[in-house]
Amino acid sequence: NVLDFFVIADTAILPVVPEPTSIENAYQFVKAAYYRHLKHLQQIGPFRDLLKEAMLESESGGLRSPADLISYVSQQSPQTGPILQRAMTRMPLKLLVNQARLPNEYQLGNAMTAACRKYLGISMEFLGTIPYDQVVLESIRARRPVVDYDSEAIVSQSLCDIGATLLRRE
């Protein structure tokens, strides 16, 4: 269900913390969401047979990434390939890095979006980084939203910046 809701969302935000397991799980989730989106597209006429064939090829190990799958469909049907490419780029993936502490953790979002594009052929927009801030714990204990609890905190400013970015794109 989580994949289905993520795929049909108008804005699909994938949060990640700068820890190896979170990063690995995020890549696996993006890949699974991509394939779930393909499964939904498989219901549509021009893609039905080609995607079934490509998915069988993928299951047998012939296609290792979403980019390979798009390439396969494009080779089989030069007119359908670009249509599929456009349909897949409409999947609105957005990445958010949470609880960054170290300087190199602020680079994680750009590195992950570049890796998704290079190795999976998937475009993902990086929304920004939310720094780790003790004020979050304090606001939870006070049962108040962090931006209300301390609007001057760096975490509050980061959240407002990301919110403004999302509103500009809507």
Side-chain angles (χ1 to χ4, degrees):
N1 287 343
V2 172
L3 282 173
D4 288 326
F5 288 129
F6 189 82
V7 168
I8 64 169
D10 290 332
T11 303
I13 300 173
L14 180 65
V16 64
V17 293
E19 298 170 3
T21 53
S22 178
I23 296 165
E24 185 177 327
N25 288 341
Y27 281 121
Q28 294 303 322
F29 186 84
V30 166
K31 203 169 176 181
Y34 188 91
Y35 283 114
R36 183 61 60 103
H37 187 56
L38 278 172
K39 197 170 192 169
H40 288 284
L41 286 175
Q42 207 169 7
Q43 314 295 324
I44 300 170
F47 303 121
R48 187 174 293 128
D49 295 333
L50 278 171
L51 284 176
K52 280 183 185 176
E53 191 178 307
M55 295 297 257
L56 288 173
E57 184 75 21
S58 179
E59 288 171 8
S60 70
L63 305 174
R64 293 191 306 234
S65 74
D68 290 346
L69 189 128
I70 296 284
S71 177
Y72 176 85
V73 170
S74 295
Q75 288 173 357
Q76 300 301 314
S77 174
Q79 58 274 52
T80 305
I83 297 168
L84 178 61
Q85 177 72 40
R86 280 192 302 278
M88 292 311 296
T89 57
R90 285 191 206 116
M91 194 165 98
L93 285 174
K94 297 179 183 349
L95 179 70
L96 179 69
V97 176
N98 194 13
Q99 299 182 18
R101 297 177 194 229
L102 304 172
N104 66 327
E105 293 174 348
Y106 284 82
Q107 304 306 313
L108 178 61
N110 290 324
M112 286 185 69
T113 55
C116 277
R117 190 172 26 264
K118 181 177 179 180
Y119 298 109
L120 300 177
I122 296 173
S123 294
M124 185 178 350
E125 178 185 357
F126 176 50
L127 290 175
T129 301
I130 301 170
Y132 177 85
D133 194 336
Q134 187 65 29
V135 78
V136 173
L137 183 58
E138 294 168 19
S139 75
I140 291 169
R141 288 182 177 148
R143 296 178 186 250
R144 291 175 52 200
V146 70
V147 294
D148 182 43
Y149 181 79
D150 185 351
S151 63
E152 299 301 314
I154 191 165
V155 68
S156 297
Q157 295 300 313
S158 295
L159 288 168
C160 289
D161 291 346
I162 290 167
T165 298
L166 285 168
L167 286 174
R168 278 193 301 273
R169 294 207 171 75
E170 294 299 315

